[in-house]
């Protein structure tokens, strides 16, 4: 007896025809995917490093420094402390960073700031993406219309539709690759520059074959960090702005005493001579904008007191303030003998610098000939108020609230 077999019905004619053409069709589609112009296969990211030549030694070191941060967590606002480096960020749900105040890491601008700090030993590109882009330190600047051919490793590449909408920055590695801190929840990584569709342009901080910041720090200048874009003026007492010094690390030459700049409990009378980013050279910026120091302090980033400018004004009676209570709003004057008021010192606790003998102010049996140099609440700085208005002392006495005799000017 023959072995039993199972009958298999033959395929219909239409199915056989379809199968006959399926393999050639699949091969043709595969060839289109692999070889169609403009559709190259995806490439794996290379190891982080300098991927092409031509960069300055400082830029090469900056690439190496950025690559050393691969795997560092992204943290919104991370890397923007007084000293560059990973730091806890800001919890900001509106920017997709609800927990970043608990994450120690770097954001995109914090990464490039830290990379160059490690590379050159100076905080040369502080600030956010929008203040880094217009940096006066750029020795070369390229735009989207230039393509990527001019880019060198170490260039800082920016993304956005315009200078006011720049939102991301990364370190260029070469061959179309970047090192970046990408987004909250991510980590410093290597990515293709084309992973972002809105490349805007790039800046270069160090020229080919050069290892010094450009423009070079002029001899006898001091590096300072400023926490915001600051107006500059033609003199330490000027009130008409002549330009702008951008937020970041800037050089200044010297200091002079001048008009007070204040906000809340913060104030500063020192003015620093500098070359601003916008406007003519040799202008003055208030030391109020220094990021690292307190009231009436003018030091560079290393803690060195910035020297006085030749011929510049100095604070009356030195930098020491004496606190006094005044019992009423008091008129101030341009000199201890003047009779024309130039402003008002409000009732309360105020500081004065020094004293000088002058015109008597009297009422009933109370009188005083001493005048105290101060900065009034209304009117120009460096004016004079009568010690008659001191709340704690008697006739012709000029002491501060602790009983210290206010020194002569």
């Amino acid at each position: 007896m023959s072995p039993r077999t199972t009958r298999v019905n033959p395929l219909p004619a239409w199915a056989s025809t379809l199968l006959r053409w399926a393999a050639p069709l699949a091969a043709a589609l595969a060839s289109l995917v692999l070889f169609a112009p403009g559709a190259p296969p995806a490439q794996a990211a290379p190891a982080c490093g300098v991927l092409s030549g031509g960069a300055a030694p400082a830029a090469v070191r900056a690439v190496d420094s950025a690559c050393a941060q691969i795997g560092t967590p992204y943290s919104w606002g991370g890397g923007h402390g007084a000293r560059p480096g990973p730091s806890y960020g800001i919890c900001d749900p509106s920017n997709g960073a609800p927990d970043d105040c608990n994450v120690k890491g770097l954001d995109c601008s914090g990464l490039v700031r830290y990379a160059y700090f490690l590379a050159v030993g100076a905080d040369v590109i502080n600030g956010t993406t929008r203040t880094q882009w217009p940096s006066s330190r750029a020795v070369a600047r390229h735009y989207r219309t230039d393509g990527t051919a001019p880019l060198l490793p170490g260039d800082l590449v920016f993304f956005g539709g315009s200078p006011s909408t720049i939102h991301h920055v990364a370190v260029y590695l070469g061959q179309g690759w970047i090192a970046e801190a990408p987004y909250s929840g991510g980590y410093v990584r290597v990515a293709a520059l084309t992973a972002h569709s809105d490349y805007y342009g790039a800046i270069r901080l160090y020229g080919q074959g050069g290892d010094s910041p450009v423009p070079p720090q002029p001899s006898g200048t001091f590096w300072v960090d400023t926490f915001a874009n600051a107006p500059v003026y033609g003199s330490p007492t000027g009130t008409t702005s002549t330009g702008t010094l951008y937020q970041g690390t800037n050089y200044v030459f010297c200091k002079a005493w001048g008009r007070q700049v204040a906000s809340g409990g913060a104030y500063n009378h020192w003015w620093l001579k500098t070359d601003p980013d916008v406007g003519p050279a040799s202008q003055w910026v208030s030391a109020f904008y220094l990021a690292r120091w307190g009231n009436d302090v003018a030091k560079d980033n290393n803690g060195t007191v910035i020297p006085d400018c030749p011929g510049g004004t100095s604070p009356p009676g030195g930098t020491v303030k004496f606190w006094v209570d005044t019992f009423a709003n008091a008129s101030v004057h341009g000199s201890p003998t003047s009779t024309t008021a130039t402003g008002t010192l409000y009732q309360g606790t105020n500081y004065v610098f020094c004293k000088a003998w002058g015109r008597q102010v009297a009422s009933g049996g109370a009188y005083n000939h001493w005048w105290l140099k101060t900065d009034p609440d209304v009117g120009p700085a460096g004016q004079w108020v009568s010690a008659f208005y001191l709340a704690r002392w008697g006739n012709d006495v000029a002491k501060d609230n602790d009983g210290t005799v206010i020194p002569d000017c």
Side-chain angles (χ1 to χ4, degrees), residues 335-338 354-363 365-373 384-390 394-398 408:
S335 75
T337 58
S338 172
C354 54
K355 71 179 190 300
W357 195 259
R359 175 174 60 84
Q360 176 179 276
V361 175
S363 178
Y367 60 89
N368 210 305
H369 291 82
W370 287 115
W371 287 75
L372 312 174
K373 196 156 196 177
W384 297 84
V385 63
S386 173
F388 173 87
Y389 291 94
L390 296 184
N395 296 333
D396 281 346
V397 176
D408 293 343

Side-chain angles (χ1 to χ4, degrees), residues 7-370:
R7 180 179 176 86
V8 178
N9 293 323
L11 289 170
W14 65 267
S16 299
T17 302
L18 180 62
L19 287 174
R20 191 163 58 247
W21 286 100
L25 181 61
L29 289 172
S31 69
L32 288 174
V33 171
L34 291 175
F35 301 111
Q43 296 181 349
C48 193
V50 176
L51 301 182
S52 58
V60 169
R61 293 195 301 270
V63 169
D64 292 339
S65 298
C67 290
Q69 308 311 309
I70 294 292
T72 299
Y74 179 97
S75 184
W76 173 254
H80 293 287
R83 183 179 176 86
S87 62
Y88 289 99
I90 301 167
C91 287
D92 187 355
S94 66
N95 279 294
D99 193 50
D100 285 27
C101 55
N102 299 309
V103 178
K104 188 175 184 179
L106 299 164
D107 68 8
C108 63
S109 52
L111 169 64
V112 302
R113 176 194 183 197
Y114 190 40
Y116 267 98
F117 174 77
L118 293 174
V120 303
D123 192 8
V124 296
I125 193 67
N126 193 0
T128 65
T129 54
R130 292 180 196 174
T131 59
Q132 289 173 337
W133 163 254
S135 172
S136 62
R137 298 231 170 118
V139 304
R141 193 176 293 274
H142 299 288
Y143 295 87
R144 179 179 346 187
T145 53
D146 300 323
T148 59
L151 300 184
L152 295 175
D155 288 354
L156 301 184
V157 291
F158 292 82
F159 302 87
S162 67
S164 64
T165 59
I166 283 174
H167 60 87
H168 188 55
V169 63
V171 180
Y172 191 67
L173 305 178
Q175 298 184 20
W177 296 95
I178 59 175
E180 66 170 354
Y183 46 74
S184 184
Y187 299 85
V188 176
R189 67 180 186 180
V190 174
L193 185 144
T194 54
H196 304 276
S197 62
D198 57 348
Y199 167 64
Y200 182 78
I203 63 172
R204 184 169 302 146
L205 297 182
Y206 293 82
Q208 297 182 49
D211 214 19
S212 299
V214 180
Q217 180 185 8
S219 176
T221 60
F222 301 84
W223 291 113
V224 297
D225 289 341
T226 51
F227 65 80
N229 292 352
V232 296
Y233 299 84
S235 75
T237 57
T239 56
T240 301
S241 176
T242 56
T244 304
L245 185 71
Y246 290 140
Q247 173 187 352
T249 303
N250 297 285
Y251 62 76
V252 299
F253 299 99
C254 54
K255 72 179 190 301
W257 195 258
R259 174 173 61 84
Q260 174 179 276
V261 174
S263 178
Y267 59 85
N268 212 302
H269 291 80
W270 286 114
W271 288 76
L272 311 174
K273 198 162 196 176
T274 187
D275 296 323
D277 298 285
V278 178
S282 297
Q283 302 297 286
W284 297 84
V285 63
S286 173
F288 174 86
Y289 290 94
L290 295 185
R292 304 188 180 209
W293 312 110
N295 297 333
D296 280 348
V297 176
K299 297 180 180 179
D300 71 4
N301 288 345
N302 296 319
T304 301
V305 175
I306 297 166
D308 293 343
C309 296
T313 55
S314 298
T319 58
V320 178
K321 292 184 175 68
F322 299 87
W323 294 96
V324 297
D325 289 340
T326 52
F327 64 80
N329 291 352
S331 59
V332 296
H333 300 261
S335 75
T337 58
S338 172
T339 58
T340 301
T342 55
T344 304
L345 186 70
Y346 292 144
Q347 174 185 352
T349 302
N350 296 285
Y351 62 78
V352 299
F353 300 104
C354 54
K355 71 179 190 300
W357 195 259
R359 175 174 60 84
Q360 176 179 276
V361 175
S363 178
Y367 60 89
N368 210 305
H369 291 82
W370 287 115

